[in-house]
Amino acid sequence: MTDFDLYALRERAENGDETALDELIQLAVELGDMDELRRLADGGSADATDELIQLAGELGDMQELRRLADGGSSDAADQLIELATERDDLDELRRLADLGNITAAEQLAELAPE
């Protein structure tokens, strides 16, 4: 895809063309383009947000998951808890628990030394 094609696709998506938006999201997923997914998610695309969460989880990008979770995404919070649990990251679990996340508190209780 040329730069012009990408520009045209973005323009169509920004003008409300759902097919173009879907194509742009799929292209970003195929390329692993977190910046494009972030841009689309921040623009209000729930599908882009879902794909961004999945990609961030696969890449172990806790910073991106934290940003999304702190922005109110429960799916990102769940993914962040899963990743923090896998890494025995008690600090992250404690941070989430302190913010009121019950699942993080439960995981923390399971992992924390007696």
Side-chain angles (χ1 to χ4, degrees):
M1 175 171 281
T2 67
D3 287 342
F4 179 77
D5 292 337
L6 183 57
Y7 173 80
L9 189 60
R10 282 184 181 140
E11 189 172 296
R12 287 179 33 222
E14 289 172 8
N15 288 323
D17 184 333
E18 289 296 320
T19 302
L21 178 60
D22 291 343
E23 289 177 27
L24 199 53
I25 292 168
Q26 187 58 40
L27 180 62
V29 169
E30 289 172 10
L31 297 174
D33 189 343
M34 298 264 301
D35 291 333
E36 184 73 16
L37 287 172
R38 188 178 304 112
R39 186 183 72 77
L40 295 168
D42 290 348
S45 171
D47 291 338
T49 301
D50 292 343
E51 294 292 349
L52 182 58
I53 291 167
Q54 183 173 339
L55 184 58
E58 290 171 4
L59 296 174
D61 189 337
M62 291 185 70
Q63 182 176 345
E64 184 64 30
L65 290 170
R66 190 177 301 118
R67 184 186 77 84
L68 293 164
D70 290 351
S73 171
S74 60
D75 291 337
D78 291 344
Q79 185 67 44
L80 184 57
I81 291 166
E82 183 177 319
L83 195 55
T85 300
E86 289 172 4
R87 295 178 177 185
D88 291 330
D89 187 340
L90 301 182
D91 290 335
E92 185 62 32
L93 291 171
R94 191 171 295 110
R95 185 187 78 83
L96 291 166
D98 288 347
L99 291 172
N101 189 299
I102 294 169
T103 305
E106 291 169 349
Q107 289 297 319
L108 184 61
E110 285 183 27
L111 293 175
E114 300 282 326

